[in-house]
Amino acid sequence: MHHEAPLVPFLGLYFNLANMLMITIASAIVFIIAVLSTRRLAMKPTGIQNFMEWIMDFVKGIINSTMDWKDGGRFHVLGITLLMYVFVANMLGLPFSVVVDNQLWWKSPTADPVITLTLAVMVVGLSHYYGVKLKGTAEYGKEFFKPFWFMFPIKIIEEFANTLTLGLRLYGNIYAGEILLGLLAAGLATDTMTTLAAAVPMLIWQGFSVFVGAIQAFIFTMLTMVYLSHKVSHDH
């Protein structure tokens, strides 16, 4: 079950080629979907354009549930991108995995904590950036001392906790799902009786994993908007 990662050293750092491959594929899929759905816009949407408009309305609903549209409208495209990217990334490792020379090349990129924590750091970093941009450095800095000055250390710990929980929640759910799929797939490669016994649970778990992947994409996008609303809304 344990496979090595294809790592290459560069300037004293190690880069995971599988991660680079899978995030590129996930990005390409999202880009292709976006291009195809907006290539021939019509007043009465059909097909993939209808799907994209549903995604846009869905993300708009997420934003409206966390902050005023006046504050949150600027994050609409960010929310659409995150929702689609995280969902596609969650799905890539479900159908199969590719192992070459005991190195795992094809998997869900979100099954790696480096990817999910990087996304979490990006989200939290953006929340601070927009907080300073929209409120100003002085006013934004005061938020860390409210309602009492001694809350400052707790607010700092909260920022680190938000980053860790946002990234590790996504990683844990997707990684655990792929581990179980790997165990069931190993059962398919043995005798006939074991194959039949493992086939049905594997199909059921794959279907459940699609549901889990969709829920995790929703949760990641929702929490992103919650964190942003805490920084940019003047009523928080």
Side-chain angles (χ1 to χ4, degrees):
M1 284 301 299
H2 177 71
H3 301 294
E4 301 294 330
L7 301 176
V8 293
F10 182 72
L11 298 178
L13 300 175
Y14 286 88
F15 292 86
N16 189 325
L17 296 181
N19 281 349
M20 296 171 65
L21 172 66
M22 298 312 298
I23 62 177
T24 302
I25 292 174
S27 301
I29 292 174
V30 172
F31 178 76
I32 290 171
I33 293 174
V35 170
L36 291 178
S37 61
T38 57
R39 184 175 54 176
R40 297 177 180 176
L41 296 177
M43 293 298 294
K44 293 183 179 180
T46 58
I48 194 168
Q49 182 188 341
N50 198 35
F51 169 76
M52 179 58 71
E53 292 196 8
W54 177 81
I55 293 291
M56 294 175 66
D57 289 339
F58 183 74
V59 173
K60 186 175 181 179
I62 293 176
I63 295 173
N64 284 331
S65 68
T66 57
M67 65 187 104
D68 291 335
W69 184 251
K70 180 181 178 181
D71 295 322
R74 58 176 56 87
F75 307 125
H76 194 202
V77 174
L78 171 65
I80 294 170
T81 304
L82 279 177
L83 184 69
M84 294 180 63
Y85 181 82
V86 174
F87 176 75
V88 170
N90 291 348
M91 296 298 108
L92 288 179
L94 287 184
F96 56 85
S97 62
V98 176
V99 179
V100 179
D101 295 331
N102 200 40
Q103 292 182 332
L104 182 60
W105 282 88
W106 186 281
K107 62 174 184 175
S108 294
T110 43
D112 190 309
V114 174
I115 303 299
T116 58
L117 287 173
T118 300
L119 287 171
V121 169
M122 179 198 73
V123 166
V124 174
L126 276 175
S127 70
H128 290 299
Y129 168 76
Y130 278 105
V132 173
K133 180 180 179 181
L134 299 178
K135 293 184 176 181
T137 305
E139 183 181 351
Y140 181 70
K142 292 177 182 178
E143 298 290 333
F144 288 88
F145 297 91
K146 294 179 179 179
F148 306 104
W149 65 268
F150 55 79
M151 295 291 291
F152 177 74
I154 298 176
K155 293 291 185 72
I156 296 300
I157 294 173
E158 182 184 16
E159 295 301 321
F160 284 101
N162 287 342
T163 305
L164 286 174
T165 55
L166 185 63
L168 294 180
R169 180 189 296 104
L170 177 60
Y171 157 70
N173 280 276
I174 304 306
Y175 179 72
E178 293 200 357
I179 288 294
L180 184 53
L181 283 175
L183 292 172
L184 292 172
L188 295 176
T190 55
D191 57 89
T192 304
M193 291 301 297
T194 306
T195 299
L196 294 175
V200 174
M202 184 173 183
L203 290 174
I204 294 174
W205 186 255
Q206 280 189 319
F208 182 70
S209 294
V210 173
F211 172 75
V212 170
I215 289 296
Q216 289 305 313
F218 165 73
I219 291 174
F220 193 93
T221 306
M222 171 66 80
L223 289 177
T224 296
M225 296 307 158
V226 169
Y227 295 157
L228 286 168
S229 70
H230 287 170
K231 304 303 182 184
V232 305
S233 298
H234 292 278
D235 55 344
H236 285 94

